[in-house]
Structures are given as structure tokens and as C-alpha cells.
């Protein structure tokens, strides 16, 4: 080319700005940019970009008046002396004096494969007409309607998932920018073709900015309804009309449509839409409509006025709680958000300012979301802007996200319950079921009596869940797993768990008080272990949330291709948890913290006799900001609610702690229901071997603790103590002496060391256990009966000696404060180890010795999931916990616990 190009860019938007920058990168001379005037103080990005490169910018509201080019506008255009006009995206009518004013002509981008879909709404009509191929044309502008000669065209297949936005983002925008530069290159090289458009297949389609063209015809096939909705999916949305029962009409807009082939759910929630033959259905996945061919279309989002809602929430909209109790920190963030909106919209931001009505476009949505992420560290998506385009509504969405993360929540939780006056406190405790984020009554308002084990009086009544209640909780957990919980990132999940742990820390004295009154736990122990270790569990597993990862695996490739194989760790889905009564909150936390960290949702049935800390915990989950349905708590009977959990088909995993007998039934039910994965922490009869070469004082102290810790209601309690004969008598004497000085009484008293057993049935079984031990010939040295003249389930710490291996009390778990002692000769180490293993249980074990070889030999030989050496009951949330043999399988705590709540997916890619 003899004369270098002098390019004028005429247009607007990010598309035009990106074309400008690409042409500058290729060293083209841009002599002027012509764009639209500012909207208020908001300048089009093309003008802003041009100014950054010191390119002259001209802003015209119109180029013509009464069909004639405005002289002064024409004069300003001529002043830049352009010899090529480039129109990347232009919404204005440019007069022919300008189009032909450049010596080399004008090239224009059009988002269709011309001559099909001429007109301003070409992309929309590509989808509305169900074209299999979409694309764009760069043509030489003329005085017709997109009828000039073609310079170049590119195309792409239209996929079933495509909407106007996806087509634009994946092809029309990025490829269009590169092709505009390619077209200029062809002009510069004098190789640009001019291919006359054929009239074969030409279409002239109406502009979709006219409202009469936006109404969807519902009297046609499902596919045509779907194509129309997705053709208007970004702006303005397909227009439909709801016919209300009172005769009134309401205009709505439909977004997010897809052809629906799942099971059709008939529900009572119906809508009548104008032009639709049959009723539309509101269901959990959206709005379902039937086309004239009997096929179904589902719509995910509906716009009512200026507010976008999930279609499934149509009937819940009026019930949705509005946040009004903003904290000072949140109000400060509101001003930060206002400044973000101001920087984008360039206009005053009031509570009712509508983001889109103020002139924002799709790229502004992206900018708003990204700036909010940077400013507040919240997991917002573009959809949040469309769902809440008004400033006050969007601020509410930001606060919701903040409360689900680092900022926490001061939300008030409504429930019916008990006001417990104890330990110089007044503590409000829910007594209802906790389902889908709310406290609700059980079916038929059924209740259970909760007995205070200290005085045998009825403490309160709690809801008693039915099978239907369990089904509702499972459905809520299932919906949350596939809904809002998936929107929470792994790191955000960890923040939620940390916030919950912080709230538990703030309320630890209340929780410990409830645990003492409800389960009989000694308050000081409850504070340190029951509650303290619960908090530790949530904090520990919170740290794992964003560290759950798979592996890449070097597999043998199929030559000549390469193969990449990797694994992904994914949550299982809905998890059912059934926990025992000895550590109510701690057992809940051990299991649930790992379950939630792995990304599952859950429902838990706490022990029938002491569910109150679980219900108080539920209140804290709301305050921490957990989405509704992620955690559900159903109180009730094991034979009803527990059995319903085992059989519930939506539950994919069962975590159970309890007796071996019940555990066998649990495992059968898991297999027979839907083959759900299960982990079982069952009974124990843990051996503790004490050699004469031990630290005797330490052995006595830990030997006492191994049996009497938490009133003996301890799954890893030493159920059989083997003491070397040379120290046997002195060991027994010291144990009895220490028992006599043990303070037994009110668990809330700070000096109390031994509180009441959890409930009457267990209390009576301990008496029977001791009676059987005496009957079999063991020596009852101390205890064996209730504390005399005391109300409540107080059982004396008990010591048996001369216990032989065949006796019932040597074989079966008492789960109470009963020490069972056998002696052995120091020369027969191998025999005592065999005796220690002569049990179907294998939960824990212990050895006290000063000889490291004995200790390591014991650790190698013993068949138990936990081995304590010169210590006992030393558990930590980072250490895996679980048994062998009939003590169950699977682990609580530690990294291994995560695997109980994850599945491994293997992905193989050939390339």
C-alpha cells in the first residue's frame, strides 16, 4: 500500500476498546475515535482507552438530524483525515458521507453469518431460530442493512448449553477482536476481498429491543420455547405473563432455560401462564412448562420487576427473611461498596439505584464482582448481580456472603425451648427439631422426656422425630448439597467452621453447663474435654478444607498418544450421623467436623437421653452463617429416627458410634438400604498391662483414670487391667484408697470428681454387671452398688480382683466405673500379651513399663486401634481414632477421618 493507513474507530464498548488496543499493538496509526457521549459522568470505555493513548476522542449523541448528516459533526470527522473506518461495535446510525468518506471504505463487525440474520439482534435470532452454526461477518459497509460485500467470516457450532452470553464470551468476542485486526491487516496488504452477499437464505430479523418482540410464544414446541428464552437470556429476558387467581396479570421475564428430561415432579405449586395450554409447575429446580409436543422446558430464574429470583423460590419470596440487623462493621463495608458502585456507574448511588438501569453492561458486572471479591473476600458470582441489581438488595447479598465466611453473623434464631437456670446462668436451649436452618416441631408434636440424671427429675421435653421428619431433614440436606453448599468454596467452608468454633468458644461455659445437667458430666471435665475437644475438632478440620486434593498418576500411555491420569477427592453427599450419650457434643463434633470439612451435608440423631447440647450447637450454626440444610438435627428414638436414617435412600454415608450389637444391625441396614458407606466405632474391652518395672505412681494415677474417667462412660476405658503379681496387692490398695477420697456428687460443683451415670437403664445394668461378677467368683473389693442415701444415678466406683479370663466381666464391656483386675507372673510376658488379645474387641490398649523393648513388643503384638504407652486417655484431634475387629472400622479424627467422608474419582485423558 502506497499510503499508510489512517484509521478512525467508530463505536463503543469493551469490544471496541480491545480492538483499538490490538491495532495499536500492531503499530497501526489511529487518528481518531468516535463514540457516544458520557452517561452522566460515566464515560464509555472506548473513549477512556483512547484518551490513555492521547488519541483524539469525539463524542456525538447523533450523526444525523432529520435524516441528514449534521455539518459540524461531518466536519469534525473529516478533520482527522482517516482513509479507513473501523466499526467494531456501533449502535449509532452512521451517515453515508462518513461511511464513504474514507478512501479505503469502512469495515464493520456483525455477529452473524451474513446474509442470515441481518439486523441489530443477530445473535439472539441465531439462537431463537435454532441455528446449528453461529458466527460473525466483517463486511464492507454500504447504505443497506448489513448488505455490503463480505471481507471475512468465521463460524462455530452452537452447543446445547449455549446462550447469548456463552456464545459471545467463548467465540464472538475473543475471535471477533482478533478477526477485526486480521481484516485491517488484509486491507493494509491490499488483499481484502469484497464478496457480494447472496440473497439466498437472507433474513431480516426484528430488533429485540422492542418489547412486542420479546414476548415468548408458549403455544409451540418445547424446543422452540427453549430457543427463544436462551436467545434473550442476557438482556432483556423473554417476556411472559402470569395469570393470578384474582384475575390480575403480572409480567415476568424468564432466564436460564433448558430442555428437561428428568423425572417430572407433580406438585401443588402451580402457575398459569398466558398462552400456555397446561399449568406450569414450580419445583425445586425451577419453573417447568410443557410444550405442544409434550416435551418439557425448565426455567431456572425469573425476573419480577427489577428483582431476579430463583424460579423455585416464587412462592417463598414473601417469606424470605430480610437482613436488618447490620453490625457497625457491615455498615462500614456498605460505604466501601457504595464507592465501588460509584466508580463503575459514575452517578450518585442511592438505596434504590438499579445497576442496569444506571447503564451498566455485562463487563461492568464482571468488574463489580471482582472488585467486591478483592474488597471483601466473598465468593460472589455474576448471577448475584442479576439476582439483586438494586444497591440495597446487592448489599444484602454481600452481607449474606460475609456472614457465611470471615465476618460471621449476629442473626437471631427463633425457637421454642427451655430456659435452664443452673451454674449461675440462664441459658436458652432449643427443644425442637432443627431442619433446613429452622427449629420446627416434630410430626404430631410428639415429644420425649429428658431426665436430669443428678436428681431424676424431668428437665424438659424435646421433639421426637418420626420417619417423615427424618425424610424432611434428608431432603433439606440433599437440596443444600446440590444447591447453596456448592457455592461455598473450600476456603470459605473453613472460615465458616472457624467461625463456628469461635462461637462455641464464646459459649463454652453454657455448653459445659448443659452437658453437665443433661448427661451428668462433671462440669470441669465437660469444660476441658467435652467442649474443649469439640472446639479443637472444628478448628483442626477447618484447616483441612482447602487442602483436600488428589494425585497425578504415571500410567502406561497408549503410544503414540500421551495419557494424563489424576484423581479427585469429592464429598459423598448427604451423611447420616448417629452419636452416643457419653460425650454428646464431642462425638457430634468428631464426626461432623470431618464430614463438613470434606464438603458434605448432614443430619444427625444425637442420643435420646441427652440431646440438648446438640440443639444448642444447632443455634450456633445459624449464627455462624451455615446455609440452611447443611446441618440438620433430629432428636428422637433410635428405633424410629435412627432406623429411618439407616434406611433413608438420599443418605450416602452413615457414621455411627455405639455398641457392637447395634453396630451389626446398622451395617446390615446400610447394605440393605442403598449400600451406603458406613464407619463404625463400637464397643471395647481395652486391655491395660502394668509391669512391675513401671513408674508405679504414674501407673496408679493413669490406671484410675483409664477406668473412672468420665464415670467410666468412656469407649476406650480399660475394661481389663493386668497387673504383675509382685505389685498387684499394693496397686489394689492404692486404688481403693484413692477411690475413698474421690468426691462424688453434683457435677456442677467444682470439687466433684465423679458424677451420676447418664440414665436409669444404664445405671441398672451396672448393678447387674456387678452382681454377675460376684456370682462367677470374682472378688468385689469395693463398690458394686449405688451411692447410699443419694437421689440420682450415682454409682460407686467399683474394683474387682481375682478375675479370670472366662468370666463375663472379663469379656464384656461395662461402660461404667468398674475396674476389673487380673494378675500375671512377671516371667510370662508372652502369655499376658496373648491374654490381652483374647477378645473380639480391639478399640484401645495400654502398657506401663520402664522397658522399651516390652513396650514396643506390646505395641507390635496388640490388636487394637490405639496403643497407649506409659499414659492413658491421651487423645488428640490430629491423631486417628478407631478400632479393630468387633470394635468397628473407620476412623474419627486426624487426616484419615476425612477419607471416611470422601470418594475418589479417577480421571484419564488421552492427548
Amino acid at each position: 500500500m502506497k499510503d499508510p493507513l489512517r484509521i478512525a474507530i467508530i463505536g463503543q464498548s469493551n469490544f471496541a476498546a480491545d480492538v483499538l488496543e490490538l491495532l495499536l499493538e500492531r503499530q497501526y496509526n489511529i487518528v481518531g475515535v468516535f463514540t457516544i457521549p458520557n452517561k452522566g459522568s460515566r464515560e464509555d470505555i472506548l473513549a477512556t482507552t483512547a484518551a490513555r493513548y492521547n488519541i483524539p476522542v469525539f463524542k456525538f449523541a447523533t450523526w444525523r438530524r432529520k435524516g441528514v448528516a449534521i455539518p459540524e459533526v461531518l466536519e469534525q470527522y473529516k478533520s482527522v483525515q482517516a482513509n479507513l473506518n473501523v466499526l467494531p461495535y456501533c449502535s449509532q446510525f452512521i451517515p453515508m458521507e462518513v461511511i464513504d468518506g474514507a478512501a479505503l471504505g469502512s469495515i464493520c463487525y456483525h455477529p452473524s453469518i451474513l446474509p442470515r440474520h441481518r439486523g441489530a439482534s443477530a445473535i439472539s435470532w441465531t439462537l431463537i431460530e435454532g441455528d446449528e452454526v453461529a458466527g460473525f461477518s466483517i463486511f464492507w459497509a454500504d447504505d443497506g442493512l448489513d448488505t455490503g460485500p463480505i471481507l471475512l467470516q468465521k463460524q462455530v457450532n452452537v452447543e446445547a448449553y449455549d446462550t447469548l452470553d456463552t456464545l459471545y464470551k467463548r467465540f464472538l468476542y475473543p475471535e471477533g477482536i482478533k478477526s477485526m485486526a486480521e481484516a485491517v491487516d488484509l486491507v493494509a496488504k491490499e488483499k481484502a476481498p469484497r464478496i457480494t452477499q447472496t440473497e439466498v437464505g437472507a433474513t431480516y430479523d426484528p430488533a429485540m429491543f422492542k418489547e412486542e418482540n420479546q414476548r415468548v410464544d408458549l403455544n409451540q414446541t418445547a424446543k422452540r420455547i427453549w430457543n427463544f428464552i436462551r436467545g434473550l437470556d442476557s438482556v432483556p429476558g423473554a417476556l411472559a405473563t402470569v395469570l393470578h387467581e384474582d384475575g390480575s396479570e403480572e409480567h415476568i421475564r424468564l432466564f436460564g432455560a433448558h430442555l428437561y428430561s428428568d423425572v417430572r415432579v407433580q406438585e401443588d405449586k402451580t402457575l398459569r401462564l398466558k398462552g400456555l395450554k397446561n399449568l406450569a409447575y414450580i419445583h425445586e429446580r425451577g419453573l417447568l412448562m410443557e410444550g405442544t409436543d409434550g416435551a418439557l422446558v425448565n426455567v431456572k430464574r425469573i425476573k419480577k420487576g427489577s428483582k431476579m429470583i430463583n424460579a423455585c423460590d416464587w412462592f417463598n419470596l414473601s417469606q424470605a427473611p430480610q437482613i436488618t440487623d447490620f453490625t457497625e462493621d457491615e455498615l462500614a463495608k456498605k460505604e466501601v461498596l457504595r464507592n465501588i458502585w460509584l466508580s463503575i456507574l459514575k452517578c450518585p448511588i442511592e438505596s434504590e439505584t438499579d445497576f442496569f438501569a444506571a447503564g451498566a453492561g455485562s463487563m461492568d458486572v464482571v468488574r463489580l464482582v471482582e472488585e467486591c471479591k478483592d474488597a471483601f473476600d466473598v465468593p460472589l458470582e455474576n448471577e448475584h448481580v442479576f439476582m439483586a441489581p438494586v444497591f440495597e438488595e446487592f448489599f444484602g447479598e454481600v452481607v449474606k456472603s460475609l456472614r457465611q465466611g470471615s465476618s460471621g453473623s449476629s442473626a437471631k434464631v427463633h425457637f421454642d425451648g427451655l430456659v435452664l437456670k443452673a451454674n449461675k446462668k440462664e441459658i436458652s436451649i432449643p427443644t425442637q427439631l432443627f431442619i433446613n436452618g429452622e427449629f420446627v416441631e416434630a410430626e404430631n408434636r410428639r415429644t420425649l422426656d429428658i431426665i436430669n440424671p443428678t436428681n431424676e427429675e424431668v428437665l424438659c421435653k424435646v421433639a421426637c422425630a418420626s420417619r417423615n421428619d427424618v425424610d424432611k431433614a434428608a431432603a433439606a440436606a440433599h437440596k443444600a448439597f446440590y444447591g447453596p453448599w456448592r457455592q461455598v468454596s473450600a476456603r470459605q467452608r473453613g472460615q465458616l467452621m472457624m467461625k463456628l468454633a469461635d462461637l462455641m468458644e464464646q459459649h463454652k461455659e453454657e455448653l459445659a453447663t448443659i452437658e453437665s445437667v443433661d448427661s451428668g458430666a462433671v462440669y470441669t471435665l465437660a469444660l476441658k474435654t467435652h467442649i474443649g475437644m469439640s472446639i479443637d475438632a472444628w478448628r483442626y478440620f477447618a484447616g483441612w478444607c482447602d487442602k483436600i486434593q488428589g494425585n497425578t498418576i504415571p500410567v502406561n500411555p497408549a503410544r503414540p498418544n500421551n495419557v494424563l491420569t489424576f484423581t479427585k477427592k469429592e464429598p459423598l453427599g448427604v451423611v447420616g450421623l448417629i452419636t452416643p450419650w457419653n460425650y454428646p457434643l464431642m462425638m457430634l463434633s468428631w464426626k461432623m467436623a470431618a464430614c463438613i470439612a470434606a464438603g458434605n451435608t448432614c443430619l444427625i440423631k444425637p442420643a435420646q437421653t441427652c440431646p440438648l447440647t446438640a440443639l444448642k450447637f444447632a443455634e450456633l450454626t445459624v449464627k455462624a452463617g451455615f446455609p440452611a440444610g447443611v446441618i440438620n438435627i433430629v432428636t428422637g428414638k433410635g428405633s424410629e429416627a435412627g432406623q429411618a436414617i439407616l434406611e433413608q435412600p438420599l443418605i450416602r454415608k452413615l457414621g455411627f458410634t455405639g455398641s457392637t450389637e447395634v453396630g451389626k444391625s446398622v451395617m446390615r441396614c446400610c447394605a440393605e438400604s442403598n449400600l451406603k458407606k458406613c464407619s463404625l466405632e463400637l464397643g471395647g474391652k481395652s486391655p491395660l498391662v502394668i509391669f512391675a518395672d513401671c513408674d508405679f505412681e504414674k501407673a496408679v494415677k493413669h490406671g484410675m483414670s483409664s477406668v473412672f474417667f468420665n464415670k467410666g462412660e468412656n469407649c476406650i476405658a480399660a475394661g481389663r487391667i493386668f497387673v504383675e503379681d509382685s505389685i498387684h496387692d499394693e496397686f489394689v490398695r492404692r486404688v481403693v484408697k484413692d477411690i475413698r477420697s474421690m468426691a462424688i456428687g453434683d457435677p456442677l460443683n467444682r470439687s466433684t470428681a465423679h458424677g451420676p451415670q447418664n440414665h436409669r437403664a444404664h445405671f441398672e445394668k451396672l448393678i447387674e454387671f456387678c452382681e454377675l461378677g460376684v456370682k462367677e467368683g470374682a472378688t468385689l473389693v469395693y463398690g458394686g452398688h449405688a451411692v447410699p442415701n443419694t437421689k440420682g444415678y450415682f454409682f460407686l466406683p467399683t474394683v474387682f480382683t481375682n478375675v479370670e479370663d472366662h468370666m463375663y466381666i472379663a469379656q464384656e464391656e461395662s461402660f461404667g466405673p468398674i475396674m476389673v483386675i487380673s494378675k500375671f507372673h512377671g516371667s510370662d510376658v508372652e502369655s499376658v500379651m496373648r491374654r490381652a488379645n483374647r477378645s473380639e474387641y480391639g478399640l484401645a490398649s495400654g502398657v506401663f513399663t520402664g522397658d522399651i523393648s516390652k513396650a514396643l513388643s506390646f505395641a507390635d503384638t496388640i490388636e487394637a486401634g490405639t496403643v497407649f504407652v506409659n499414659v492413658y486417655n491421651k487423645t488428640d484431634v490430629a491423631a486417628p481414632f478407631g478400632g479393630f475387629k468387633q470394635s468397628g472400622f473407620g476412623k474419627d479424627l486426624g487426616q484419615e477421618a476425612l477419607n471416611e467422608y470422601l470418594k475418589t474419582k479417577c480421571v484419564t485423558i488421552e492427548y
Side-chain angles (χ1 to χ4, degrees), residues 386-444:
F386 292 106
M387 299 292 277
V390 175
F391 178 75
E392 196 69 27
E393 294 173 355
F394 186 75
F395 172 61
E397 291 298 313
V398 171
V399 170
K400 285 179 187 177
S401 294
L402 285 168
R403 290 184 177 185
Q404 289 175 5
S406 57
S407 185
S409 170
S410 58
K412 294 179 181 178
V413 187
H414 301 285
F415 56 79
D416 293 335
L418 159 74
V419 176
L420 176 64
K421 297 179 180 180
N423 206 17
K424 299 180 181 179
K425 301 179 185 299
E426 288 192 6
I427 307 169
S428 297
I429 308 170
T431 55
Q432 299 166 291
L433 306 179
F434 182 68
I435 298 176
N436 201 33
E438 297 179 338
F439 287 98
V440 296
E441 297 293 345
E443 185 178 34
N444 298 325

Side-chain angles (χ1 to χ4, degrees), residues 419-574:
V419 176
L420 176 64
K421 297 179 180 180
N423 206 17
K424 299 180 181 179
K425 301 179 185 299
E426 288 192 6
I427 307 169
S428 297
I429 308 170
T431 55
Q432 299 166 291
L433 306 179
F434 182 68
I435 298 176
N436 201 33
E438 297 179 338
F439 287 98
V440 296
E441 297 293 345
E443 185 178 34
N444 298 325
R445 304 182 73 88
R446 293 197 316 160
T447 60
L448 289 169
D449 287 345
I450 301 300
I451 307 298
N452 184 337
T454 301
N455 56 23
E456 303 180 56
E457 295 176 358
V458 175
L459 182 62
C460 64
K461 293 180 181 293
V462 299
C464 182
S466 67
R467 181 174 294 271
N468 287 338
D469 293 321
V470 169
D471 290 345
K472 289 177 183 176
H478 185 261
K479 184 177 180 181
F481 179 75
Y482 289 101
W485 196 226
R486 286 198 167 186
Q487 304 301 316
V488 179
S489 68
R491 191 159 299 170
Q492 200 77 9
R493 196 162 67 238
Q495 291 173 340
L496 272 173
M497 294 175 68
M498 282 293 191
K499 177 60 182 175
L500 177 58
D502 290 344
L503 285 168
M504 292 169 72
E505 183 86 50
Q506 293 169 25
H507 293 269
K508 65 181 179 181
E509 293 181 354
E510 291 183 6
L511 292 167
T513 300
I514 299 169
E515 199 97 323
S516 294
V517 174
D518 195 22
S519 75
V522 171
Y523 176 76
T524 51
L525 177 65
L527 200 61
K528 178 179 182 293
T529 301
H530 289 234
I531 311 307
M533 202 170 185
S534 298
I535 296 167
D536 289 347
W538 283 98
R539 286 182 174 149
Y540 172 79
F541 283 110
W544 273 111
C545 288
D546 59 358
K547 300 169 188 68
I548 298 170
Q549 55 197 28
N551 296 292
T552 54
I553 302 171
V555 299
N556 191 27
R559 301 297 183 188
N561 295 323
N562 294 313
V563 173
L564 169 65
T565 296
F566 61 91
T567 60
K568 297 175 65 183
K569 295 286 189 178
E570 297 181 350
L572 295 166
V574 181

Side-chain angles (χ1 to χ4, degrees), residues 279-297:
L279 291 173
Y281 289 88
I282 298 291
H283 66 139
E284 64 177 10
R285 296 182 184 88
L287 170 68
L288 207 57
M289 301 179 292
E290 183 178 335
T292 55
D293 56 350
L296 300 172
V297 179

